Amino acid sequence: MANAVSSEPSRQDVGNNSLEKLKNFVLDFIINYGMIVAILATLVYFTTQTESFFTAQNLLLIVRSSSWLIIVSIGITLTVAVGGFDVSVGSVASLASMLSVALMVIWEWPWQTAVLAALAVGAAIGLVNSFLIIQLKIPDLLATLGMLYFADGLHRVITQGEAAANGMANPWADRTPTEGRIAETFLELGSGRFWGGTVPQWLIDVMPENFFIRGSLFQGFPYAVVLVLVVAVVFHVFLQYTRWGRMFYAVGSNREAARLSGIPVNRVRLSAYVLSGILAAIAGIVIASFTGRGSIGAGADTLLDGVAATFFGFAVLGARRPNVFGTVLGALYVQALLIGLTQMGISDFYQDVIKGTVLLASLSLSFYLFRGRS
Amino acid sequence: MALKAMGLGKRFPGVVALKDVSLTVEAGQVMALVGANGAGKSTLIKILTGYYEHYEGRIEIDGQAVTLRKPADASQHGIQAVYQEVDTVLVPTLTVTENLLMNETVQRKRRLLMNWGALNQRARNILTEMHLNIPPRRRVESLVLHEKQMLVIARAVNQRVRYLIFDEPTTSLSLPEVDQLFRVIRRLTQQGVGIIYISHRLAEVREIADDITILRGGEKVAEFPVGDFDVGRISEAMLGTAMTEAYPPKRVEAPGDVMLEAKNLSRRRALQDVSFSVRQGEILGIAGLVGAGKTELVRALFGADRVDSGSVLVRGKRLRGGSPGRAVRQGVYLVPEERRSQGVLVEDPIRKNIALPFLSAFSWVFGIMRRGQEVARTQAVIQDVGLTPPNPHMLVQNLSGGNQQKVAIGKWFTRPPRVMIFDEATQGIDVRAKQDVYRLAQRVCDHAAVIFSSSDIDEVIGVANRVIVMKDGRIVAELAAHELDRNLILEYATGARRADGSLAPASALPLASAPEIPPQFSAEGGA
Ligand SMILES: Nc1ncnc2c1ncn2[C@@H]1O[C@H](COP(=O)(O)OP(=O)(O)OP(=O)(O)O)[C@@H](O)[C@H]1O
Ligand SMILES: [Mg+2]
């Protein structure tokens, strides 16, 4: 915190009181690392509760099933950073996943153009969102809520309410069988893996017993994990270390002061919504490639979990503002909770109660303690 | 009867804001609190108004020890404050009556329906009793700053205030409004209210105070009755060095090229056909009462607001409106009127504020910010404007008011301007920092044009080479250096003298003939 050095001698004799110092240190620690400690504690708890939680298999499952959530959450983080909000992302993810598969299967597009089209639709929705919010001055929540319904409806229209998959009946041509196929390359993103193979003995030795299923091969990481990593690193650097990131935060913390400092406020807000749309579309494509189909409402769950992840992120490292690192941890945490609680045999409605409690607790902790500091 | 504070102290992580300060405010007396930026004045009054849960020291009222841990404690003991950010204690969307009688309307648990007619009448009575002409049914958001201030005072009085604290109440008031405020303060003291008055304008202190207490670095360094008032002595006690209140010498060389020209600027209800130009090497002062259109004018020049007609030329090239970003790229910078909401990002450290207007000057490939450069620049600015504490990483919200203002100014130093516009730039900053700003304006104008808009007429006269006087959104006079005279400007600003230079007939002289109620107050009555 502020360690002011001042020319006034009377100002430096602070903090000599060692009790005070200890208190400050503890507070600082909780504010900065409280969330991380809480996450570790949760992981340890699950490990002690269920045999199967702390295994390579299971951790991989958590990472894998977080991948699209992380991408969507980063988009939400960007819009929250500029002082906005985008609740259309879940629908956009559903739309992109349905559209990319349908284009390949029903209309027999090559995978490249299908993917590009899905991304373009994501970007277009972001553009429309920002137009509604910036030009028509509709409150962000309402504008993107409208878009949530619109995009959700649209993704059902594409296939007339069915799932899109290899060999489906063509809803647009008297249910004749479709000829198109989901390209192998497209599926590779979700199913292709690297670093698979036999696990070296030393690793088996250092890890706890039963961490690896004995004698079996490690399946490897899906390529999607690399994609997520790249997206996360790029946007972390973007927000934290570049001048555009500075503009995002400036616009988010005081739009008028940012504008009077010469920041192109509306361009910044527009970029946030467009990026959010594109990221949601990428998430949709990842979902489609993992599941090998375009299902109805495939991305719907990501909205609430993504919002939760973003706000968890507020509490990480004492940031108190949306940040990518925190969001990624938040998304992983949300998934770990989901999977851990499921494996403990706790039913979904209790899971939501627990998720809500944990979110509220971590937010209160960080905001309340921080308030006490200043 | 007195409010007595003994050994008050307050520390923040890394800073002792206040240390062992004792002070006594007698009922019916005005105690002025004076000190440089960051001296601890606001901290002291925050303790007295129950803003902090924890503090050191003892507070007594009439010999009774009291503890003030929350604002309600303070108001229960009759202590109220008028902060400089008056907006924070008023609800803008409610009416004058609702704000004035807020406590009562909220507390009326037993009655479901309000008798608004009666409440408005009561509000009107309270306001007229204080000689204020504010319509009770108006929404607070449509009031101008000093009307809001008067409303806060009226509310305090209505809640039986016994000790009223003013934290820099006059920073953006002009002379007639200051007079009005002083009349109210004098009436309050006659009724036995004790006043603590904080200001950086020493002339005001001399006029209103009975006693003066001086803080420096969080400690009390002097206390004496106003009879011993001496500017030299006060500044020495405040700053630790002797200092005069003189303005730096003005440039004498003839001004150079026209840097900025305004042509027939008009904006509905704000500006009417405003034209002028300003050259390199000159400081153009803009004088006028509060609400005369000074801020509207400078915002239009900067492109912060669109105009309905007219144009702004920067070095002969038209500057399209509506985008401050474009103005900044053309070298037109503005230090805006309200620092906290417009000038700085309070939740960010000083260094991020300094870098904000010219981010590309601090970034590298892929737009990566160069933190080292940013910190170095910030340190240079800290030196330049004398910011305390000199820590680039300090959050702006933890700086004292005057030091926040220095950040709002210093962030423009990165690239040399063509036209530098100051709007109430010295509000809330201490004597030394004011002189720094004046010197800075002189320095900037070696290579650029400076527009210096202020409600403080003396300051405008002291700094400017040429002054335009505004009233009701128009320019009513343009005065050259040798014509600058306080009374003349005041006459133009109040309408006592018409734009053609003739004196208005006596009946149209609200200020001269009826000094009790300045024009803003009486004007509202007719509207
Ligand atoms: N919440 C805080 N955290 C850390 N430091 C603080 C905090 N609030 C105030 N300070 C520090 O305490 C000191 C005194 O501040 P204060 O606001 O009382 O000054 P002031 O006399 O009112 O100055 P000004 O004339 O500029 O308004 C300053 O150095 C300021 O930076
Ligand atoms: Mg202050």
Side-chain angles (χ1 to χ4, degrees), chain B residues 75-197:
Chain B
S75 51
Q76 201 194 332
H77 287 104
I79 305 176
Q80 305 253 9
V82 180
Y83 295 103
Q84 200 212 324
E85 285 94 7
V86 284
D87 294 68
T88 52
V89 294
L90 293 171
V91 185
T93 51
L94 297 183
T95 63
V96 169
T97 302
E98 286 167 310
N99 274 285
L100 184 59
L101 303 176
M102 193 176 280
N103 277 21
E104 296 163 45
T105 48
V106 173
Q107 279 165 9
R108 276 196 196 191
K109 285 177 197 138
R110 260 170 291 159
R111 288 181 50 185
L112 209 55
L113 296 176
M114 299 277 182
N115 181 349
W116 285 115
L119 285 176
N120 282 331
Q121 191 50 48
R122 271 205 46 213
R124 188 169 297 119
N125 291 344
I126 294 168
L127 292 168
T128 29
E129 205 173 298
M130 292 185 62
H131 304 264
L132 301 174
N133 202 339
I134 309 174
R137 285 172 211 269
R138 282 259 305 269
R139 279 191 182 207
V140 163
E141 61 195 345
S142 69
L143 301 181
V144 301
L145 178 77
H146 75 108
E147 287 176 323
K148 292 181 189 165
Q149 212 172 50
M150 289 297 165
L151 181 57
V152 174
I153 299 171
R155 183 166 74 185
V157 171
N158 187 47
Q159 291 170 12
R160 302 213 176 69
V161 66
R162 301 180 54 207
Y163 297 96
L164 188 54
I165 306 174
F166 292 89
D167 193 358
E168 304 189 35
T170 55
T171 42
S172 37
L173 297 189
S174 54
L175 277 173
E177 291 116 17
V178 173
D179 284 345
Q180 164 81 10
L181 177 71
F182 282 6
R183 272 195 297 276
V184 170
I185 291 181
R186 289 204 182 95
R187 239 180 341 252
L188 288 173
T189 53
Q190 277 158 22
Q191 293 161 12
V193 176
I195 306 277
I196 299 182
Y197 185 89

Side-chain angles (χ1 to χ4, degrees), chain A residues 2-6 10-11 13-14 237 241-244 246-247 250 253-254 256-257 259-263 321 373, chain B residues 13 16 19 38 217-219 299 302 304 324-325 341-342 345 348 351 357 359 363 366-369 374 389-390 411-412:
Chain A
N3 280 316
V5 193
S6 167
S10 64
R11 303 232 159 168
D13 56 8
V14 211
V237 170
Y241 298 107
T242 71
R243 67 183 140 109
W244 300 291
R246 283 289 176 82
M247 293 187 199
S253 68
N254 185 340
E256 181 63 3
R259 195 172 83 95
L260 293 182
S261 299
I263 305 291
R321 37 172 85 178
R373 295 309 307 270
Chain B
V16 178
K19 192 174 167 189
E219 294 176 70
R299 282 179 63 93
F302 187 56
S341 60
Q342 306 174 332
L345 302 175
D348 273 330
R351 92 184 141 80
L359 287 169
S363 65
F366 302 122
I368 302 279
M369 292 298 292
E374 196 174 85
K411 71 179 188 180
W412 294 114

Side-chain angles (χ1 to χ4, degrees), chain A residues 2 11 373-374, chain B residues 10-13 15-18 35-44 46 52 167-168 198 200 215 218 339 388-389 394 397-404 428-430:
Chain A
R11 303 232 159 168
R373 295 309 307 270
S374 50
Chain B
K10 177 76 194 170
R11 44 183 75 200
F12 299 106
V15 182
V16 178
L18 205 63
N37 295 132
K41 307 180 294 297
S42 298
T43 308
L44 175 62
K46 281 181 182 162
Y52 298 120
D167 193 358
E168 304 189 35
I198 299 179
H200 288 291
L215 296 183
R339 59 170 167 258
T388 44
M394 182 102 171
Q397 63 189 2
N398 292 342
L399 293 176
S400 75
N403 283 301
Q404 293 180 0
I429 65 181
D430 64 42

